[in-house]
Amino acid sequence: MRWAIVRFPGSNCDEDARFALEKAGIKAEYVWHTERSLKGFDGVFLPGGFSYGDYLRAGALAAKSPVMEEVKRFAREGRWVLGVCNGFQVLTEAGILPGALLANLNLHFTCKEVGVRVERTDLPFTRLYQKGQVLRLPIAHAEGRYYADEETLARLEGEGLVVFRYAPLAGEKDYNPNGSLHDIAGIVNERGNVLGMMPHPERAVDEVLGGTDGLPLFLGLLEEVTA
Amino acid sequence: MPRYQATLLIELKDGILDPQGRAVEGVLKDLGHPVESVRVGKVLEVIFPAETLLEAEERAKAMGRLLANPVMEVFTLEALKELP
């Protein structure tokens, strides 16, 4: 299995993405955002960072990059697309996932570990988790407040497209770190092959990094091929 | 070819909470201004060539549609003028 990691000007979690994929046994290669082909790849990872300095809106300019046409094709063809943090913002700006990520309610750049509940486990991304399991994953963003209109939210909930939701860690009261509607931390498309999430699973794949709760997400992808 | 300058205004839709606007509102109130509310938007000034005013208007609107996120924003072509 071979994944592409797209580098935009300002990506800064690209090496974390590679570390996580390779740790799970998935081959990973960097692809510059001006590339027009992702031929030969099984999946594409849009990493975190500050593409184009978050100018205009987070992810807005990256969403118009040449490579995104190919990412859209990937999504349509049912191949794997994972967008984390800025990558999630790029996916919504490109219209590949619905909704938008707005400025955190507290207006702070928030960098900490949060609780993330797994809402479904029938996806390759989540098959190695238990339903209802609360993961400890780091977040690091200023614009992570998930927003969508009522109709879209109802559709997401009705079709079970919310994969990850912020949830309290032991004794925690204010567990929603950014004001996301419905505590949404990550969503998937109808087909189940495109996942966007604000927390960073790739930064939680080794005890040295403070935790390993993100590793099963990548291991689950690998199983998809070998299963 | 004539050159035009378009002023595009991109704002959050009504009803979408604008924390930047809230923060600015708080500061203005703290300084004693009787402010009801503040919304923060973005102004883009774009200079480009076009054959006619009509073509310039269509192009400016197309750029607005490209740059505003329809999920949460609206854009307005605030001004369009031919440059000398």
Side-chain angles (χ1 to χ4, degrees):
Chain A
M1 187 174 221
R2 191 160 158 257
W3 273 55
I5 300 163
V6 177
R7 281 176 150 163
F8 299 100
S11 294
N12 63 17
C13 297
D14 41 352
E15 293 191 21
D16 307 66
R18 183 171 194 160
F19 181 78
L21 287 167
E22 289 183 346
K23 183 152 179 113
I26 297 169
K27 287 196 195 84
E29 277 173 48
Y30 299 125
V31 169
W32 189 234
H33 68 115
T34 52
E35 288 291 324
R36 292 177 189 276
S37 169
L38 292 171
K39 210 166 170 227
F41 290 105
D42 304 292
V44 60
F45 195 134
L46 305 181
F50 294 88
S51 56
Y52 292 89
D54 275 357
Y55 293 162
L56 194 61
R57 288 177 309 276
L61 297 177
K64 319 288 188 221
S65 291
V67 77
M68 290 307 296
E69 283 309 313
E70 185 74 350
V71 174
K72 282 178 193 167
R73 194 169 68 81
F74 244 54
R76 278 197 305 273
E77 286 177 357
R79 283 189 275 174
W80 311 116
V81 180
L82 173 60
V84 170
C85 199
N86 191 231
F88 186 16
Q89 294 161 341
V90 173
L91 286 175
T92 59
E93 281 286 343
I96 297 173
L97 288 176
L101 283 311
L102 304 185
N104 296 349
L105 266 192
N106 61 16
L107 289 178
H108 292 293
F109 180 89
T110 306
C111 183
K112 63 174 189 177
E113 198 173 62
V114 297
V116 178
R117 191 171 62 236
V118 180
E119 298 287 30
R120 55 184 279 195
T121 54
D122 59 333
L123 301 163
F125 302 104
T126 55
R127 65 163 49 151
L128 298 181
Y129 294 115
Q130 305 295 317
K131 190 170 159 60
Q133 184 180 353
V134 176
L135 315 175
R136 299 179 77 97
L137 293 178
I139 56 161
H141 60 249
E143 296 174 43
R145 173 166 54 110
Y146 185 78
Y147 169 84
D149 58 31
E150 283 303 322
E151 195 183 319
T152 306
L153 282 172
R155 186 171 64 81
L156 289 174
E157 296 291 358
E159 295 177 20
L161 303 180
V162 178
V163 177
F164 295 116
R165 236 185 272 270
Y166 298 111
L169 293 170
E172 209 178 22
K173 242 178 106 184
D174 297 323
Y175 57 85
N176 183 331
N178 48 33
S180 277
L181 295 178
H182 294 208
D183 298 331
I184 288 173
I187 58 170
V188 74
N189 64 342
E190 291 83 351
R191 194 162 171 180
N193 62 309
V194 180
L195 174 67
M197 61 192 294
M198 286 313 294
H200 287 273
E202 82 285 8
R203 289 193 192 170
V205 296
D206 193 300
E207 284 302 343
V208 168
L209 300 171
T212 56
D213 284 0
L215 187 57
L217 187 148
F218 300 100
L219 291 169
L221 288 168
L222 191 64
E223 275 195 13
E224 183 64 21
V225 199
T226 48
Chain B
M1 199 186 295
R3 294 160 70 239
Y4 290 87
Q5 177 178 307
T7 307
L8 289 163
L9 180 62
I10 298 180
E11 297 169 289
L12 284 174
K13 281 181 184 167
D14 282 345
I16 292 193
L17 180 62
D18 173 11
Q20 277 191 76
R22 283 262 174 101
V24 175
E25 181 187 321
V27 170
L28 289 175
K29 281 180 177 164
D30 289 347
L31 294 173
H33 293 283
V35 171
E36 253 183 48
S37 73
V38 179
R39 308 280 287 172
V40 173
K42 294 186 179 83
V43 173
L44 284 73
E45 280 196 349
V46 190
I47 294 172
F48 57 98
E51 291 288 359
T52 64
L53 182 65
L54 189 67
E55 186 198 319
E57 188 182 339
E58 280 171 5
R59 188 163 293 280
K61 285 181 176 166
M63 289 189 279
R65 278 191 295 275
L66 182 76
L67 295 176
N69 182 331
V71 175
M72 61 207 186
E73 294 175 329
V74 287
F75 82 92
T76 323
L77 178 55
E78 280 287 294
L80 180 64
K81 64 178 182 193
E82 188 177 342
L83 293 177

